[in-house]
Amino acid sequence: MLHVEALWALNSWVDFCIIWMAGRLLNQPPRWRRFLFVTSLSTVCQVVIMLLHLPHVYELLFLLFFTPVMAAVSFRLNGMAHVFRACLIVWGCSTLAGGLMYAAERVLNQSLTVFISHQSISQFIVLSLILIAAMISMNKVVASLQMNRIQESFTYKVEIEVNGQAWSGFGFLDSGNHVIDPFTKSPVVFADLKVASELLPDFIAHSLTGNQFVNWPESWQKKVRLIPARTVHSSSQMMTGILCDRVACSVNGKEFSLTNVPVVFTNQSLLFEEKCNCLLNPLQLLPCHQI
């Protein structure tokens, strides 16, 4: 006996998981009301195929060609290229879910719990656990890819020069860094002690905290800038910056170069991305600061 309501609930649940994973990869939320209509229509067509006792190949072909309809209705797609991409993603998610279910079925059939696979409720629970695991895994993968994309998008090559010494590496553009030198109005760059050790003399690099700069040679004392700043950990503080001769960063093949830029070297964790050793200031990229 065919239970249409059970078939509809199963199809809706499986399609929901697949469309949700596809939505994460397409970076847009599905239109769930339209999805519900399409998955219900799919169930009706599947029931008709079963009642007419058509070969399973017709059901397979129907599901294959019905995917573009579900993708086009469930998502906001512009152009055939976008539709084709969405179809590939939906097919890929379906293949992932199907492969996981097939693997679970093989494991169940070869284990002592084979009798569980013959119970419809147990099958539904196993299917749900597989789909939830696939959704969680997909969410983590997409989140990781998005974070890598953000890091790559805001990571630039940087070169800092002072007194004839130069350091080259990578910097992360920090949208929250709007610290400026109150006297020169120049944007301030933050760098870690690794940069200081390669760029500054040892006696300077090891005495950047406090007011130890009073013992520096006069030529270096002239490069000191006291930068007032407020952080989430303190109401206000004075940071010691070194006036560097030049700071340049390359953005999409275009070089932004500033002269006489204060660089604050700190041993505090600034949440750098692994390959980055400095935090850039968005003001560096404004034309009014280019010299």
Side-chain angles (χ1 to χ4, degrees), residues 7-259:
L7 180 62
W8 175 82
L10 180 62
N11 285 347
S12 299
W13 170 232
V14 175
D15 290 343
F16 166 82
C17 296
I18 292 175
I19 291 298
W20 184 88
M21 290 188 288
R24 290 291 291 145
L25 291 172
L26 290 171
N27 195 28
Q28 63 170 288
R31 295 183 285 189
W32 293 116
R33 291 183 180 179
R34 296 190 177 189
F35 157 78
L36 187 61
F37 170 77
V38 174
T39 191
S40 300
L41 180 61
S42 173
T43 301
V44 171
C45 295
Q46 191 175 357
V47 169
V48 172
I49 292 175
M50 290 181 178
L51 292 178
L52 295 178
H53 301 288
L54 297 177
H56 290 294
V57 65
Y58 287 97
E59 183 177 359
L60 181 61
L61 290 175
F62 167 76
L63 294 176
L64 182 64
F65 290 107
F66 198 75
T67 300
V69 177
M70 178 173 289
V73 172
S74 301
F75 299 104
R76 296 174 177 83
L77 306 176
N78 299 319
M80 291 303 300
H82 205 186
V83 173
F84 182 70
R85 176 171 173 263
C87 290
L88 290 179
I89 291 176
V90 173
W91 284 327
C93 294
S94 302
T95 302
L96 172 64
L100 291 175
M101 287 187 286
Y102 176 76
E105 181 182 357
R106 296 282 295 180
V107 171
L108 288 174
N109 288 339
Q110 295 176 5
S111 67
L112 297 177
T113 59
V114 62
F115 66 95
I116 296 179
S117 64
H118 298 294
Q119 303 295 324
S120 58
I121 296 180
S122 300
Q123 284 182 333
F124 182 76
I125 293 175
V126 171
L127 171 63
S128 299
L129 292 176
I130 292 173
L131 291 175
I132 291 174
M135 292 170 66
I136 294 174
S137 300
M138 182 66 68
N139 189 52
K140 290 185 176 297
V141 169
V142 171
S144 177
L145 291 176
Q146 289 177 341
M147 182 57 65
N148 289 337
R149 183 178 180 181
I150 291 174
Q151 291 174 347
E152 291 177 358
S153 300
F154 294 94
T155 299
Y156 306 120
K157 292 182 178 180
V158 181
E159 185 174 351
I160 303 176
E161 297 179 2
V162 59
N163 278 11
Q165 290 292 110
W167 172 86
S168 297
F170 292 93
F172 188 82
L173 184 63
D174 183 10
S175 60
N177 177 21
H178 290 275
V179 181
I180 62 173
D181 183 349
F183 297 103
T184 64
K185 305 302 180 181
S186 178
V188 176
V189 175
F190 291 86
D192 61 17
L193 294 183
K194 179 179 182 295
V195 180
S197 63
E198 297 182 12
L199 187 63
L200 306 175
D202 291 340
F203 67 91
I204 300 293
H206 292 96
S207 58
L208 289 170
T209 59
N211 296 322
Q212 300 184 51
F213 60 85
V214 296
N215 299 320
W216 293 357
E218 184 178 356
S219 60
W220 282 98
Q221 289 188 29
K222 292 181 179 180
K223 292 183 175 294
V224 173
R225 288 292 184 272
L226 295 179
I227 312 295
R230 300 180 63 182
T231 67
V232 294
H233 303 292
S234 61
S235 58
S236 63
Q237 61 177 338
M238 298 298 293
M239 300 179 296
T240 303
I242 304 294
L243 198 63
C244 293
D245 301 328
R246 177 175 172 269
V247 175
C249 58
S250 300
V251 181
N252 298 326
K254 184 178 181 180
E255 184 177 273
F256 292 84
S257 181
L258 294 180
T259 59

Side-chain angles (χ1 to χ4, degrees), residues 186 257-261 286-291:
S186 178
S257 181
L258 294 180
T259 59
N260 299 323
V261 180
L286 296 179
C288 60
H289 284 282
Q290 304 307 310
I291 299 178

